[in-house]
Amino acid sequence: MRIRGLGVIEDAVLELSPGFTAVTGETGAGKTMVVTGLGLLFGGRSDSALVRPGAERASVEGRLVVDPKGAAGLAAAEAGAELEPVGKDKAELIIARSVSSEGRSRASLGGAAVPIGVLGGLADDLVAMHGQSAQQSLLQPARQRQALDRYAGPAVAEPLAEYKACFDRLKKIDSTLDELTTRARERAQEADLLRFGLAEVERLEPVEGEDAELDAESERLGHADTLRTASGGAHMALAGSPDDPASINALSLVSEATRALEAARGHDPALAELAQRLDEASFLLADVSTELAAYADSIEADPRRLADVQQRISDLNSLMRKYGPKLSDVIAWASDGALRLSELEGDDDRIASLTEERTAARSELAGHAARVSAARSQAADKFAAAVTTELAELAMPHARVEVPVAQKDSADGLELEPGGRTVAFGPTGVDDVEIRLAPHPGAPFLPIAKGASGGELSRVMLAVEVVFAGSDPVPTFVFDEVDAGVGGKAAVEVGRRLARLARSAQVVVVTHLPQVAAFADRQLVVKKANDGLVTRSGVVVLDDAARRRELARMLAGLEESELGQAHADELLQAAAADRQRA
């Protein structure tokens, strides 16, 4: 992983190999920037405040080895990422994220620009982040319930999915019933308006295209005298007056012209063509003359029909003003309105049907809720026992943890059993989950925020995180100072526990405790430098000698102290012996 311009880090390259990697450094050196960088790579929230002063942007680039056929590999390929094969069933995936000093953030996956949310989706299958913020969130009952559900796995996930589907269906039923009952007056008014409008349309029975035909007929009837005079005059000009056979007309003139060419048309093809065109003109004029005579005879002034047509046009225009700009819109409105009216008039039957459906859905939901509660209770016992075991290994041998799964009574809640309790319910079920601690014999069980001291709380949270991590299928775990408030023998046990977790997964830990760092397979140190104006930090992989000095610094504050380095050797030897025994 390469980090540039993030916080106090100018430029750093980290090689996070499988096993246990400890990240240490002086206070203020920016150790948590390593975790922040990992968080950005996997869709964490960006902020311009993360950019190192004087830098234009902060950038983080990571190279991951993934299974191309696994969930993360398939998701990356679907997002357009290129995966480079690096061996059998393995591929290299490059993730990059940048944040500008103005706060703009960009992400790329395998060379393809992607939304930030895509990186967050990959995190579910690749890495689990555990830190002080996660500890604080674990103090919240809702987060504790989520942790228990993930720990339980399919035993809770499957009935909970059925519960959520039924819950969503019940919400839709309740919403529809609420609309039908609380808006009864508005729906009745809507039905009355629809009946009135549909009656208007039904009375006129409009036909699509009818308005255009009526407009044409109205125009013809309104100008009957003009049309008849025009067509009669044109016919007379073409065919002449029947009362004066000798009158000059177009047909007789064309016939005379045709006869004039008849004798000579055989001597020149050009003249013959002209004569042919005169023949055609004669036939065309004769046809037009006949049609004009018929048209003139068909035109009759009909004031009553004209009045009927104009009234029909007026009625149709009235419909179009109310229900649509065009007649086709009016017809469509009537069709849709009839369906809507049928729906509104069936409200009573629908209310009765939905009421029965709601009763059945609530009964089904209660059954799902009971199964979820039973699975949670069973998982809670195992979860509490596992955390108690972890606490014993973290120098709290007498501490006990319980995880009660309880419900709250509610008059309008779910009846889990016929004639039984009626309890409150929500989208995640009917259960309240709370982790409680009794730190020593005789002490009452209290919520972990109240029942543990600062150091005890850190150990309890680490135990919870480790148990939770054991149920999480991701290959990498990142812990950010989850050992805060721990010291002495308890710190040694924290280191030993993290080393054991690293046997089955990659573990990265930001720590200030030498007892924890000594158990790591490798150690990185974040070093800071100050030129009087700007503080910069970089990350260095420590060799054996440098690691002894760093542990001595963490122990006594004097990295060159022989006594401190001897103590560091003792810690490293104890950690190595513990690994050999394992």
PDB file of all heavy atoms in Angstrom, residues 159-160 162-164 166 362-376 407 414-416 423-426 428-431:
ATOM      1  N   PRO A 159     -34.287 -16.796   9.044  1.00  0.00           N
ATOM      2  CA  PRO A 159     -35.615 -16.386   9.533  1.00  0.00           C
ATOM      3  C   PRO A 159     -35.772 -14.871   9.562  1.00  0.00           C
ATOM      4  O   PRO A 159     -36.886 -14.363   9.397  1.00  0.00           O
ATOM      5  CB  PRO A 159     -35.686 -16.984  10.946  1.00  0.00           C
ATOM      6  CG  PRO A 159     -34.276 -17.227  11.350  1.00  0.00           C
ATOM      7  CD  PRO A 159     -33.547 -17.548  10.089  1.00  0.00           C
ATOM      8  N   LEU A 160     -34.655 -14.135   9.765  1.00  0.00           N
ATOM      9  CA  LEU A 160     -34.754 -12.671   9.775  1.00  0.00           C
ATOM     10  C   LEU A 160     -35.102 -12.142   8.383  1.00  0.00           C
ATOM     11  O   LEU A 160     -35.860 -11.172   8.258  1.00  0.00           O
ATOM     12  CB  LEU A 160     -33.437 -12.065  10.256  1.00  0.00           C
ATOM     13  CG  LEU A 160     -33.408 -10.541  10.406  1.00  0.00           C
ATOM     14  CD1 LEU A 160     -34.477 -10.070  11.379  1.00  0.00           C
ATOM     15  CD2 LEU A 160     -32.027 -10.073  10.874  1.00  0.00           C
ATOM     16  N   GLU A 162     -36.942 -13.717   6.165  1.00  0.00           N
ATOM     17  CA  GLU A 162     -38.370 -13.988   6.024  1.00  0.00           C
ATOM     18  C   GLU A 162     -39.182 -12.981   6.832  1.00  0.00           C
ATOM     19  O   GLU A 162     -40.237 -12.502   6.374  1.00  0.00           O
ATOM     20  CB  GLU A 162     -38.678 -15.411   6.481  1.00  0.00           C
ATOM     21  CG  GLU A 162     -38.029 -16.493   5.613  1.00  0.00           C
ATOM     22  CD  GLU A 162     -38.260 -17.884   6.163  1.00  0.00           C
ATOM     23  OE1 GLU A 162     -38.719 -17.994   7.333  1.00  0.00           O
ATOM     24  OE2 GLU A 162     -37.982 -18.872   5.453  1.00  0.00           O
ATOM     25  N   TYR A 163     -38.699 -12.652   8.029  1.00  0.00           N
ATOM     26  CA  TYR A 163     -39.393 -11.667   8.864  1.00  0.00           C
ATOM     27  C   TYR A 163     -39.450 -10.314   8.159  1.00  0.00           C
ATOM     28  O   TYR A 163     -40.500  -9.671   8.103  1.00  0.00           O
ATOM     29  CB  TYR A 163     -38.673 -11.538  10.212  1.00  0.00           C
ATOM     30  CG  TYR A 163     -39.232 -10.433  11.084  1.00  0.00           C
ATOM     31  CD1 TYR A 163     -40.251 -10.687  12.003  1.00  0.00           C
ATOM     32  CD2 TYR A 163     -38.751  -9.131  10.973  1.00  0.00           C
ATOM     33  CE1 TYR A 163     -40.768  -9.661  12.781  1.00  0.00           C
ATOM     34  CE2 TYR A 163     -39.266  -8.106  11.753  1.00  0.00           C
ATOM     35  CZ  TYR A 163     -40.273  -8.384  12.662  1.00  0.00           C
ATOM     36  OH  TYR A 163     -40.798  -7.365  13.434  1.00  0.00           O
ATOM     37  N   LYS A 164     -38.301  -9.866   7.615  1.00  0.00           N
ATOM     38  CA  LYS A 164     -38.255  -8.555   6.970  1.00  0.00           C
ATOM     39  C   LYS A 164     -39.161  -8.496   5.754  1.00  0.00           C
ATOM     40  O   LYS A 164     -39.822  -7.488   5.509  1.00  0.00           O
ATOM     41  CB  LYS A 164     -36.813  -8.217   6.575  1.00  0.00           C
ATOM     42  CG  LYS A 164     -35.915  -7.903   7.762  1.00  0.00           C
ATOM     43  CD  LYS A 164     -34.497  -7.559   7.314  1.00  0.00           C
ATOM     44  CE  LYS A 164     -33.627  -7.170   8.500  1.00  0.00           C
ATOM     45  NZ  LYS A 164     -32.238  -6.847   8.095  1.00  0.00           N
ATOM     46  N   CYS A 166     -41.909 -10.221   5.288  1.00  0.00           N
ATOM     47  CA  CYS A 166     -43.285 -10.160   5.802  1.00  0.00           C
ATOM     48  C   CYS A 166     -43.565  -8.788   6.409  1.00  0.00           C
ATOM     49  O   CYS A 166     -44.670  -8.244   6.263  1.00  0.00           O
ATOM     50  CB  CYS A 166     -43.490 -11.266   6.839  1.00  0.00           C
ATOM     51  SG  CYS A 166     -45.187 -11.442   7.424  1.00  0.00           S
ATOM     52  N   ARG A 362     -49.958 -10.340  10.199  1.00  0.00           N
ATOM     53  CA  ARG A 362     -49.454 -10.146  11.565  1.00  0.00           C
ATOM     54  C   ARG A 362     -49.208 -11.485  12.250  1.00  0.00           C
ATOM     55  O   ARG A 362     -48.229 -11.660  12.993  1.00  0.00           O
ATOM     56  CB  ARG A 362     -50.436  -9.299  12.374  1.00  0.00           C
ATOM     57  CG  ARG A 362     -50.424  -7.815  12.004  1.00  0.00           C
ATOM     58  CD  ARG A 362     -51.495  -7.061  12.773  1.00  0.00           C
ATOM     59  NE  ARG A 362     -51.203  -7.016  14.193  1.00  0.00           N
ATOM     60  CZ  ARG A 362     -50.485  -6.064  14.791  1.00  0.00           C
ATOM     61  NH1 ARG A 362     -49.978  -5.061  14.075  1.00  0.00           N
ATOM     62  NH2 ARG A 362     -50.270  -6.083  16.086  1.00  0.00           N
ATOM     63  N   SER A 363     -50.088 -12.427  11.996  1.00  0.00           N
ATOM     64  CA  SER A 363     -49.898 -13.757  12.577  1.00  0.00           C
ATOM     65  C   SER A 363     -48.638 -14.410  12.006  1.00  0.00           C
ATOM     66  O   SER A 363     -47.841 -15.012  12.745  1.00  0.00           O
ATOM     67  CB  SER A 363     -51.121 -14.622  12.287  1.00  0.00           C
ATOM     68  OG  SER A 363     -50.936 -15.939  12.771  1.00  0.00           O
ATOM     69  N   GLU A 364     -48.452 -14.292  10.685  1.00  0.00           N
ATOM     70  CA  GLU A 364     -47.253 -14.845  10.059  1.00  0.00           C
ATOM     71  C   GLU A 364     -46.004 -14.140  10.581  1.00  0.00           C
ATOM     72  O   GLU A 364     -44.981 -14.790  10.858  1.00  0.00           O
ATOM     73  CB  GLU A 364     -47.347 -14.689   8.540  1.00  0.00           C
ATOM     74  CG  GLU A 364     -46.152 -15.260   7.789  1.00  0.00           C
ATOM     75  CD  GLU A 364     -46.234 -15.005   6.292  1.00  0.00           C
ATOM     76  OE1 GLU A 364     -47.310 -14.597   5.803  1.00  0.00           O
ATOM     77  OE2 GLU A 364     -45.197 -15.198   5.609  1.00  0.00           O
ATOM     78  N   LEU A 365     -46.080 -12.819  10.731  1.00  0.00           N
ATOM     79  CA  LEU A 365     -44.939 -12.051  11.224  1.00  0.00           C
ATOM     80  C   LEU A 365     -44.564 -12.476  12.644  1.00  0.00           C
ATOM     81  O   LEU A 365     -43.378 -12.579  12.982  1.00  0.00           O
ATOM     82  CB  LEU A 365     -45.257 -10.555  11.187  1.00  0.00           C
ATOM     83  CG  LEU A 365     -44.097  -9.607  11.450  1.00  0.00           C
ATOM     84  CD1 LEU A 365     -43.074  -9.699  10.319  1.00  0.00           C
ATOM     85  CD2 LEU A 365     -44.593  -8.162  11.584  1.00  0.00           C
ATOM     86  N   ALA A 366     -45.575 -12.728  13.473  1.00  0.00           N
ATOM     87  CA  ALA A 366     -45.310 -13.179  14.842  1.00  0.00           C
ATOM     88  C   ALA A 366     -44.559 -14.509  14.839  1.00  0.00           C
ATOM     89  O   ALA A 366     -43.659 -14.730  15.650  1.00  0.00           O
ATOM     90  CB  ALA A 366     -46.623 -13.292  15.611  1.00  0.00           C
ATOM     91  N   GLY A 367     -44.927 -15.392  13.910  1.00  0.00           N
ATOM     92  CA  GLY A 367     -44.230 -16.671  13.812  1.00  0.00           C
ATOM     93  C   GLY A 367     -42.770 -16.494  13.435  1.00  0.00           C
ATOM     94  O   GLY A 367     -41.872 -17.114  14.024  1.00  0.00           O
ATOM     95  N   HIS A 368     -42.511 -15.617  12.441  1.00  0.00           N
ATOM     96  CA  HIS A 368     -41.128 -15.339  12.049  1.00  0.00           C
ATOM     97  C   HIS A 368     -40.363 -14.704  13.214  1.00  0.00           C
ATOM     98  O   HIS A 368     -39.206 -15.047  13.467  1.00  0.00           O
ATOM     99  CB  HIS A 368     -41.092 -14.406  10.841  1.00  0.00           C
ATOM    100  CG  HIS A 368     -41.622 -15.019   9.575  1.00  0.00           C
ATOM    101  ND1 HIS A 368     -41.274 -16.285   9.156  1.00  0.00           N
ATOM    102  CD2 HIS A 368     -42.474 -14.532   8.615  1.00  0.00           C
ATOM    103  CE1 HIS A 368     -41.884 -16.553   8.008  1.00  0.00           C
ATOM    104  NE2 HIS A 368     -42.617 -15.505   7.670  1.00  0.00           N
ATOM    105  N   ALA A 369     -41.013 -13.768  13.925  1.00  0.00           N
ATOM    106  CA  ALA A 369     -40.355 -13.089  15.041  1.00  0.00           C
ATOM    107  C   ALA A 369     -39.965 -14.076  16.129  1.00  0.00           C
ATOM    108  O   ALA A 369     -38.874 -13.978  16.715  1.00  0.00           O
ATOM    109  CB  ALA A 369     -41.274 -12.007  15.610  1.00  0.00           C
ATOM    110  N   ALA A 370     -40.846 -15.032  16.409  1.00  0.00           N
ATOM    111  CA  ALA A 370     -40.547 -16.029  17.442  1.00  0.00           C
ATOM    112  C   ALA A 370     -39.338 -16.876  17.041  1.00  0.00           C
ATOM    113  O   ALA A 370     -38.471 -17.181  17.877  1.00  0.00           O
ATOM    114  CB  ALA A 370     -41.775 -16.912  17.676  1.00  0.00           C
ATOM    115  N   ARG A 371     -39.234 -17.223  15.753  1.00  0.00           N
ATOM    116  CA  ARG A 371     -38.095 -18.025  15.307  1.00  0.00           C
ATOM    117  C   ARG A 371     -36.796 -17.215  15.364  1.00  0.00           C
ATOM    118  O   ARG A 371     -35.738 -17.738  15.739  1.00  0.00           O
ATOM    119  CB  ARG A 371     -38.344 -18.538  13.884  1.00  0.00           C
ATOM    120  CG  ARG A 371     -39.376 -19.661  13.827  1.00  0.00           C
ATOM    121  CD  ARG A 371     -39.426 -20.298  12.449  1.00  0.00           C
ATOM    122  NE  ARG A 371     -40.046 -19.420  11.470  1.00  0.00           N
ATOM    123  CZ  ARG A 371     -41.354 -19.315  11.281  1.00  0.00           C
ATOM    124  NH1 ARG A 371     -42.183 -20.032  12.013  1.00  0.00           N
ATOM    125  NH2 ARG A 371     -41.839 -18.501  10.363  1.00  0.00           N
ATOM    126  N   VAL A 372     -36.871 -15.927  15.003  1.00  0.00           N
ATOM    127  CA  VAL A 372     -35.691 -15.070  15.092  1.00  0.00           C
ATOM    128  C   VAL A 372     -35.241 -14.948  16.548  1.00  0.00           C
ATOM    129  O   VAL A 372     -34.047 -15.052  16.861  1.00  0.00           O
ATOM    130  CB  VAL A 372     -35.988 -13.673  14.497  1.00  0.00           C
ATOM    131  CG1 VAL A 372     -34.838 -12.716  14.781  1.00  0.00           C
ATOM    132  CG2 VAL A 372     -36.221 -13.759  12.998  1.00  0.00           C
ATOM    133  N   SER A 373     -36.197 -14.734  17.451  1.00  0.00           N
ATOM    134  CA  SER A 373     -35.862 -14.588  18.872  1.00  0.00           C
ATOM    135  C   SER A 373     -35.221 -15.856  19.418  1.00  0.00           C
ATOM    136  O   SER A 373     -34.246 -15.799  20.178  1.00  0.00           O
ATOM    137  CB  SER A 373     -37.120 -14.249  19.679  1.00  0.00           C
ATOM    138  OG  SER A 373     -37.590 -12.971  19.362  1.00  0.00           O
ATOM    139  N   ALA A 374     -35.772 -17.002  19.045  1.00  0.00           N
ATOM    140  CA  ALA A 374     -35.211 -18.265  19.529  1.00  0.00           C
ATOM    141  C   ALA A 374     -33.779 -18.448  19.031  1.00  0.00           C
ATOM    142  O   ALA A 374     -32.884 -18.858  19.790  1.00  0.00           O
ATOM    143  CB  ALA A 374     -36.091 -19.423  19.080  1.00  0.00           C
ATOM    144  N   ALA A 375     -33.542 -18.128  17.749  1.00  0.00           N
ATOM    145  CA  ALA A 375     -32.190 -18.271  17.195  1.00  0.00           C
ATOM    146  C   ALA A 375     -31.233 -17.277  17.842  1.00  0.00           C
ATOM    147  O   ALA A 375     -30.074 -17.606  18.129  1.00  0.00           O
ATOM    148  CB  ALA A 375     -32.233 -18.059  15.681  1.00  0.00           C
ATOM    149  N   ARG A 376     -31.712 -16.058  18.095  1.00  0.00           N
ATOM    150  CA  ARG A 376     -30.862 -15.068  18.754  1.00  0.00           C
ATOM    151  C   ARG A 376     -30.512 -15.509  20.179  1.00  0.00           C
ATOM    152  O   ARG A 376     -29.370 -15.347  20.625  1.00  0.00           O
ATOM    153  CB  ARG A 376     -31.573 -13.713  18.786  1.00  0.00           C
ATOM    154  CG  ARG A 376     -31.459 -12.919  17.491  1.00  0.00           C
ATOM    155  CD  ARG A 376     -32.220 -11.627  17.568  1.00  0.00           C
ATOM    156  NE  ARG A 376     -32.025 -10.820  16.355  1.00  0.00           N
ATOM    157  CZ  ARG A 376     -32.867  -9.887  15.932  1.00  0.00           C
ATOM    158  NH1 ARG A 376     -33.987  -9.652  16.631  1.00  0.00           N
ATOM    159  NH2 ARG A 376     -32.620  -9.198  14.842  1.00  0.00           N
ATOM    160  N   GLN A 407     -37.783  -8.534  25.217  1.00  0.00           N
ATOM    161  CA  GLN A 407     -38.812  -7.854  24.433  1.00  0.00           C
ATOM    162  C   GLN A 407     -39.545  -6.856  25.333  1.00  0.00           C
ATOM    163  O   GLN A 407     -39.573  -7.001  26.552  1.00  0.00           O
ATOM    164  CB  GLN A 407     -39.824  -8.851  23.835  1.00  0.00           C
ATOM    165  CG  GLN A 407     -39.233  -9.885  22.906  1.00  0.00           C
ATOM    166  CD  GLN A 407     -38.611 -11.048  23.617  1.00  0.00           C
ATOM    167  OE1 GLN A 407     -39.095 -11.459  24.687  1.00  0.00           O
ATOM    168  NE2 GLN A 407     -37.535 -11.598  23.080  1.00  0.00           N
ATOM    169  N   LEU A 414     -47.097  -7.308  18.517  1.00  0.00           N
ATOM    170  CA  LEU A 414     -47.342  -8.650  17.996  1.00  0.00           C
ATOM    171  C   LEU A 414     -47.621  -9.611  19.135  1.00  0.00           C
ATOM    172  O   LEU A 414     -46.962  -9.565  20.176  1.00  0.00           O
ATOM    173  CB  LEU A 414     -46.127  -9.151  17.217  1.00  0.00           C
ATOM    174  CG  LEU A 414     -45.825  -8.531  15.859  1.00  0.00           C
ATOM    175  CD1 LEU A 414     -44.568  -9.167  15.280  1.00  0.00           C
ATOM    176  CD2 LEU A 414     -46.990  -8.702  14.904  1.00  0.00           C
ATOM    177  N   GLU A 415     -48.576 -10.491  18.926  1.00  0.00           N
ATOM    178  CA  GLU A 415     -48.880 -11.537  19.897  1.00  0.00           C
ATOM    179  C   GLU A 415     -48.087 -12.781  19.492  1.00  0.00           C
ATOM    180  O   GLU A 415     -48.423 -13.467  18.528  1.00  0.00           O
ATOM    181  CB  GLU A 415     -50.379 -11.833  19.902  1.00  0.00           C
ATOM    182  CG  GLU A 415     -50.805 -12.761  21.021  1.00  0.00           C
ATOM    183  CD  GLU A 415     -52.317 -12.965  21.046  1.00  0.00           C
ATOM    184  OE1 GLU A 415     -53.006 -12.446  20.142  1.00  0.00           O
ATOM    185  OE2 GLU A 415     -52.803 -13.638  21.965  1.00  0.00           O
ATOM    186  N   LEU A 416     -46.972 -13.020  20.226  1.00  0.00           N
ATOM    187  CA  LEU A 416     -46.069 -14.092  19.834  1.00  0.00           C
ATOM    188  C   LEU A 416     -46.715 -15.461  19.946  1.00  0.00           C
ATOM    189  O   LEU A 416     -46.426 -16.358  19.155  1.00  0.00           O
ATOM    190  CB  LEU A 416     -44.798 -14.045  20.680  1.00  0.00           C
ATOM    191  CG  LEU A 416     -43.934 -12.780  20.502  1.00  0.00           C
ATOM    192  CD1 LEU A 416     -42.671 -12.888  21.338  1.00  0.00           C
ATOM    193  CD2 LEU A 416     -43.584 -12.560  19.040  1.00  0.00           C
ATOM    194  N   VAL A 423     -45.944  -7.815  22.165  1.00  0.00           N
ATOM    195  CA  VAL A 423     -44.676  -7.099  22.286  1.00  0.00           C
ATOM    196  C   VAL A 423     -44.458  -6.156  21.112  1.00  0.00           C
ATOM    197  O   VAL A 423     -45.004  -6.357  20.017  1.00  0.00           O
ATOM    198  CB  VAL A 423     -43.496  -8.090  22.382  1.00  0.00           C
ATOM    199  CG1 VAL A 423     -43.643  -8.971  23.618  1.00  0.00           C
ATOM    200  CG2 VAL A 423     -43.395  -8.950  21.131  1.00  0.00           C
ATOM    201  N   ALA A 424     -43.656  -5.129  21.383  1.00  0.00           N
ATOM    202  CA  ALA A 424     -43.317  -4.159  20.337  1.00  0.00           C
ATOM    203  C   ALA A 424     -42.475  -4.833  19.254  1.00  0.00           C
ATOM    204  O   ALA A 424     -41.723  -5.765  19.522  1.00  0.00           O
ATOM    205  CB  ALA A 424     -42.556  -2.983  20.948  1.00  0.00           C
ATOM    206  N   PHE A 425     -42.615  -4.348  18.029  1.00  0.00           N
ATOM    207  CA  PHE A 425     -41.855  -4.927  16.929  1.00  0.00           C
ATOM    208  C   PHE A 425     -41.407  -3.833  15.972  1.00  0.00           C
ATOM    209  O   PHE A 425     -41.940  -2.722  15.968  1.00  0.00           O
ATOM    210  CB  PHE A 425     -42.677  -5.985  16.185  1.00  0.00           C
ATOM    211  CG  PHE A 425     -43.866  -5.426  15.435  1.00  0.00           C
ATOM    212  CD1 PHE A 425     -43.813  -5.230  14.060  1.00  0.00           C
ATOM    213  CD2 PHE A 425     -45.052  -5.095  16.099  1.00  0.00           C
ATOM    214  CE1 PHE A 425     -44.903  -4.726  13.361  1.00  0.00           C
ATOM    215  CE2 PHE A 425     -46.133  -4.596  15.412  1.00  0.00           C
ATOM    216  CZ  PHE A 425     -46.069  -4.409  14.047  1.00  0.00           C
ATOM    217  N   GLY A 426     -40.414  -4.157  15.184  1.00  0.00           N
ATOM    218  CA  GLY A 426     -39.869  -3.210  14.214  1.00  0.00           C
ATOM    219  C   GLY A 426     -39.266  -3.952  13.037  1.00  0.00           C
ATOM    220  O   GLY A 426     -39.451  -5.172  12.903  1.00  0.00           O
ATOM    221  N   THR A 428     -36.377  -5.050  12.489  1.00  0.00           N
ATOM    222  CA  THR A 428     -35.380  -6.077  12.800  1.00  0.00           C
ATOM    223  C   THR A 428     -35.912  -7.126  13.770  1.00  0.00           C
ATOM    224  O   THR A 428     -35.132  -7.957  14.246  1.00  0.00           O
ATOM    225  CB  THR A 428     -34.116  -5.441  13.403  1.00  0.00           C
ATOM    226  OG1 THR A 428     -34.467  -4.715  14.592  1.00  0.00           O
ATOM    227  CG2 THR A 428     -33.460  -4.495  12.413  1.00  0.00           C
ATOM    228  N   GLY A 429     -37.185  -7.101  14.064  1.00  0.00           N
ATOM    229  CA  GLY A 429     -37.748  -8.106  14.961  1.00  0.00           C
ATOM    230  C   GLY A 429     -38.337  -7.492  16.215  1.00  0.00           C
ATOM    231  O   GLY A 429     -38.694  -6.298  16.239  1.00  0.00           O
ATOM    232  N   VAL A 430     -38.406  -8.284  17.251  1.00  0.00           N
ATOM    233  CA  VAL A 430     -39.043  -7.848  18.507  1.00  0.00           C
ATOM    234  C   VAL A 430     -38.038  -7.792  19.657  1.00  0.00           C
ATOM    235  O   VAL A 430     -38.433  -7.566  20.804  1.00  0.00           O
ATOM    236  CB  VAL A 430     -40.197  -8.809  18.871  1.00  0.00           C
ATOM    237  CG1 VAL A 430     -41.287  -8.775  17.820  1.00  0.00           C
ATOM    238  CG2 VAL A 430     -39.685 -10.238  19.066  1.00  0.00           C
ATOM    239  N   ASP A 431     -36.764  -7.984  19.366  1.00  0.00           N
ATOM    240  CA  ASP A 431     -35.784  -8.186  20.428  1.00  0.00           C
ATOM    241  C   ASP A 431     -34.938  -6.955  20.713  1.00  0.00           C
ATOM    242  O   ASP A 431     -34.557  -6.223  19.797  1.00  0.00           O
ATOM    243  CB  ASP A 431     -34.845  -9.337  20.057  1.00  0.00           C
ATOM    244  CG  ASP A 431     -35.608 -10.619  19.748  1.00  0.00           C
ATOM    245  OD1 ASP A 431     -36.514 -10.955  20.519  1.00  0.00           O
ATOM    246  OD2 ASP A 431     -35.290 -11.264  18.726  1.00  0.00           O
TER     247      ASP A 431
END
